[in-house]
Amino acid sequence: MDIAFLTREVFNQCCLNIQRAGESIGDFWFWNEFKHDKEQRFLHKVSTIPWQITPNKAEERSHGLEDELFEDNETHDLECEVVVPLAIQKEEKNTFIKMEHHVVYSDSYSVPVLYFNGSYQDGRPITLQEVWNSIPEHYQHAMRDKWSFITQQEHPYLQRPFFQVHPCHTETMLKTLLPEKSKCENTLLIWLSAIAPIVHLKLSMQYFTNKPAPQEPCDTNG
């Protein structure tokens, strides 16, 4: 089989390899299985990361606060200038969010697909525009056609909205990144390392430098 495509069996083994490697370095991934359907499996990771709200978004939320205060003032026939507290301004610019990353197998494309979500400490989800705005400048070339790169879709197993790195580009990416014959324990890692900065996924170099534990061979040409 072409290296750019994976069978579900190979995908499952690659995910288990990542999970084992993560456990050995204290970076934990979880392998989700559904009792009613053993084929419905995906790898997922939860982490807390620093997050910077873009000026436009911070300004938008500050105006929202002003609107609420003005409405309250109007009920008391008061005229005053609303000043957003400095502490709130700082909070709007730098904060932390909880990120979920799910690696799912696509039967339609025969490639891995990354789904991810983020939420603020008060439970509010990050928006698609915030995701687009957060992509590092030196990766902005990937956003020339942003609607076909990162979009919001329903999670295939959880049936709720997640951001998705669209699989239509994955085949080309894998062909570019991987040698003709690649060990399956690195196939997903190499792909993940290429998109990690774009989706705020932290991958330790130890995944690539640590000697993997002996395991059953996994032939990507099957």
Side-chain angles (χ1 to χ4, degrees):
M1 177 180 288
D2 193 313
I3 190 62
F5 299 100
L6 298 178
T7 64
R8 180 176 287 275
E9 180 182 3
V10 169
F11 169 81
N12 290 346
Q13 184 61 56
C14 292
C15 287
L16 288 173
N17 292 345
I18 291 178
Q19 184 188 35
R20 294 188 189 111
E23 286 178 351
S24 71
I25 61 175
D27 187 38
F28 298 102
W29 293 79
F30 299 92
W31 183 230
N32 292 74
E33 294 184 351
F34 294 83
K35 292 182 179 179
H36 64 280
D37 187 349
K38 292 295 184 180
E39 289 299 310
Q40 291 190 5
R41 303 174 178 179
F42 63 91
L43 193 67
H44 94 270
K45 180 181 181 182
V46 179
S47 57
T48 300
I49 66 168
W51 186 258
Q52 185 173 18
I53 300 178
T54 59
N56 289 342
K57 187 63 178 178
E59 183 179 354
E60 176 185 325
R61 294 185 60 202
S62 296
H63 287 327
L65 175 62
E66 292 175 5
D67 291 341
E68 291 178 8
L69 291 173
F70 275 127
E71 289 176 3
D72 185 62
N73 289 338
E74 287 174 358
T75 62
H76 298 284
D77 296 325
L78 297 176
E79 293 184 1
C80 64
E81 179 182 357
V82 176
V83 178
V84 179
L86 182 61
I88 294 180
Q89 293 178 20
K90 289 182 178 178
E91 180 184 356
E92 295 295 331
K93 294 180 181 179
N94 296 284
T95 186
F96 287 86
I97 62 171
K98 183 179 83 170
M99 288 290 290
E100 288 187 55
H101 293 93
H102 295 194
V103 183
V104 178
Y105 182 75
S106 168
D107 289 301
S108 301
Y109 291 88
S110 297
V111 295
V113 183
L114 185 71
Y115 290 84
F116 65 101
N117 249 346
S119 58
Y120 292 98
Q121 295 174 344
D122 61 4
R124 291 176 298 105
I126 60 175
T127 66
L128 180 57
Q129 187 62 54
E130 285 180 289
V131 172
W132 286 338
N133 291 344
S134 72
I135 294 177
E137 185 176 349
H138 47 286
Y139 288 95
Q140 282 296 321
H141 64 277
M143 299 302 294
R144 291 172 185 166
D145 189 9
K146 60 185 180 182
W147 285 103
S148 71
F149 185 63
I150 294 179
T151 57
Q152 194 167 39
Q153 302 286 337
E154 183 179 89
H155 193 290
Y157 300 144
L158 304 182
Q159 281 76 55
R160 54 189 175 90
F162 266 71
F163 302 114
Q164 175 203 60
V165 179
H166 200 280
C168 67
H169 301 296
T170 303
E171 176 189 352
T172 302
M173 184 182 296
L174 288 176
K175 285 182 176 179
T176 302
L177 294 172
L178 298 174
E180 292 184 4
K181 292 185 178 180
S182 176
K183 294 181 179 180
C184 104
E185 63 263 23
N186 282 336
T187 301
L188 287 185
L189 281 175
I190 294 173
W191 168 70
L192 284 173
S193 68
I195 63 175
I198 299 174
V199 297
H200 305 282
L201 172 64
K202 292 185 177 180
L203 278 182
S204 170
M205 283 301 297
Q206 289 180 281
Y207 279 103
F208 300 92
T209 57
N210 282 14
K211 185 177 180 180
Q215 52 196 277
E216 295 182 3
C218 185
D219 183 9
T220 57
N221 294 320

